[in-house]
Amino acid sequence: METSNAPQVPATVPTMTIERFSQLSGLDEGVIQGHIRRGYLPTIKVGRYRMINVALLNAQCLNAEEWS
């Protein structure tokens, strides 16, 4: 069994690395990068790192549910 050195960050944090988002979502990092390039996933630059803006994604999902 492979163990990850990544910290066990809950999914409720406002930002998340692409690697951690990949682990939690089950999507390959390449798929996530494609979603970012197409504007499907919101990101924020923190220092030199590009992070998934989980807080904005959550708000967008909640807003989308209101209209469906």
Side-chain angles (χ1 to χ4, degrees), residues 2-19:
E2 184 178 321
T3 58
S4 172
N5 291 335
Q8 298 302 311
V9 180
T12 57
V13 295
T15 62
M16 189 176 298
T17 65
I18 292 168
E19 177 186 34

Side-chain angles (χ1 to χ4, degrees), residues 33-55:
Q33 292 285 0
H35 283 17
I36 291 169
R37 279 192 302 275
R38 290 175 184 86
Y40 301 153
L41 288 173
T43 61
I44 187 169
K45 191 144 189 200
V46 178
R48 63 181 194 172
Y49 299 100
R50 178 73 48 195
M51 309 279 284
I52 304 291
N53 187 337
V54 178

